[in-house]
């Protein structure tokens, strides 16, 4: 199993990235909370990983810190939650906010995440509350854009299209993604970076 990788960031197309490790390019999928913390393309980074082996594919999921990976692993052990949904959950809200939702039994926030219906939200609260108590996950503070060490995603010809594509990959319906990104662009300005558009869109859809 591959548990950690250190290499140069070659490409960033959320929720996927390409990492060059001694000449070998690893394709990884990451939550948006991890993406916000990645350095610029061409710079080196160390990522914690979780490998999923299926009959038709071998997938690597990347996390900027070990705590998020612990939470991801706990999520995929929950009945009805696979890696894609776990990634959507960790993209829609911060790890700290998810833990708060579980402890406060806040299903209303969880159901705003694509793929999380009422029954799934209730199951997450019941099963994860017990797991979180055993995991003893350290307090995690939400990452904010502009914090030291953060680097924006490379500017693309159409940042809005890239942001919409990322949201669809996370499970949102195309019409939802388009509407959210349009609202974000209106609020942030047409020259807003891709990750700013994604973060604002997620905030509007999940945060209410």
């Amino acid at each position: 199993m591959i548990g950690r990788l250190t290499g140069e960031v070659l490409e960033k197309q959320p929720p996927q990235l390409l990492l060059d490790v001694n000449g070998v390019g690893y394709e990884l999928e990451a939550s948006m909370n991890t993406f916000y913390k990645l350095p610029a393309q061409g710079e080196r980074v160390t990522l914690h990983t979780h490998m999923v082996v299926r009959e038709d594919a071998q997938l690597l999921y990347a996390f900027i810190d070990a705590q998020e990976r612990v939470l991801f692993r706990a999520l995929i052990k929950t009945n009805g939650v696979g890696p894609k949904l776990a990634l959507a959950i960790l993209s829609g809200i911060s790890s700290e906010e998810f833990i708060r939702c579980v402890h406060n039994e806040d299903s209303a926030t969880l159901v705003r995440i694509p793929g999380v219906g009422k029954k799934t939200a209730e199951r997450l609260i019941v099963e994860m509350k017990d797991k979180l108590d055993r995991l003893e996950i350290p307090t995690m503070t939400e990452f904010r854009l502009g914090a030291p060490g953060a680097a924006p995603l490379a500017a693309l010809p159409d940042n809005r299209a890239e942001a919409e594509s990322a949201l669809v990959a996370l499970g949102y319906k195309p019409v939802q993604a388009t509407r959210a990104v349009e609202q974000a662009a209106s609020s942030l300005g047409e020259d807003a970076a891709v990750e700013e558009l994604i973060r604002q869109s997620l905030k509007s859809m999940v945060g209410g």
Side-chain angles (χ1 to χ4, degrees):
M1 298 296 287
I2 300 172
R4 190 176 72 172
L5 291 172
T6 297
E8 177 186 336
V9 179
L10 294 182
E11 297 178 8
K12 293 195 286 186
Q13 297 180 330
Q16 299 175 330
L17 68 140
L18 182 64
L19 193 69
D20 182 342
V21 181
N22 297 323
V24 179
Y26 286 86
E27 294 181 343
L28 308 121
E29 292 193 35
S31 75
M32 288 313 305
N33 285 319
T34 283
F35 254 93
Y36 298 141
K37 303 178 185 180
L38 290 175
Q41 288 179 218
E43 295 186 9
R44 291 177 64 81
V45 68
T46 295
L47 295 169
H48 299 271
T49 61
H50 177 84
M51 189 173 185
V52 174
V53 179
R54 302 191 322 219
E55 290 184 2
D56 59 340
Q58 294 184 21
L59 306 173
L60 267 176
Y61 296 89
F63 310 93
I64 200 69
D65 56 53
Q67 290 89 347
E68 189 180 35
R69 184 178 64 178
V70 168
L71 193 52
F72 175 86
R73 287 175 169 173
L75 280 167
I76 61 177
K77 291 179 181 178
T78 300
N79 187 28
V81 178
K84 183 176 181 179
L85 180 53
L87 212 62
I89 292 171
L90 294 175
S91 293
I93 55 179
S94 67
S95 299
E96 187 177 58
E97 181 65 10
F98 174 75
I99 293 171
R100 184 199 65 77
C101 287
V102 171
H103 285 309
N104 293 347
E105 300 184 4
D106 180 8
S107 61
T109 295
L110 294 176
V111 296
R112 299 192 187 108
I113 299 171
V116 180
K118 184 178 179 181
K119 289 184 178 180
T120 300
E122 293 173 348
R123 187 184 306 120
L124 279 168
I125 290 171
V126 172
E127 295 189 29
M128 287 299 296
K129 182 177 288 189
D130 182 54
K131 291 178 182 177
L132 291 176
D133 290 338
R134 296 199 308 269
L135 289 173
E136 297 181 354
I137 298 177
T139 300
M140 291 178 258
T141 56
E142 181 178 3
F143 180 80
R144 302 185 184 282
L145 288 175
L153 302 180
L156 297 172
D158 190 346
N159 287 354
R160 285 168 49 161
E162 182 72 10
E164 289 177 22
S165 177
L167 293 174
V168 171
L170 289 171
Y172 290 93
K173 295 179 180 178
V175 65
Q176 288 179 300
T178 299
R179 183 168 58 246
V181 171
E182 286 179 350
Q183 292 175 348
S186 177
S187 174
L188 298 172
E190 292 298 324
D191 59 345
V194 177
E195 85 282 6
E196 292 177 324
L197 292 172
I198 295 172
R199 188 170 182 84
Q200 182 65 24
S201 298
L202 287 170
K203 182 179 179 180
S204 67
M205 290 189 289
V206 180

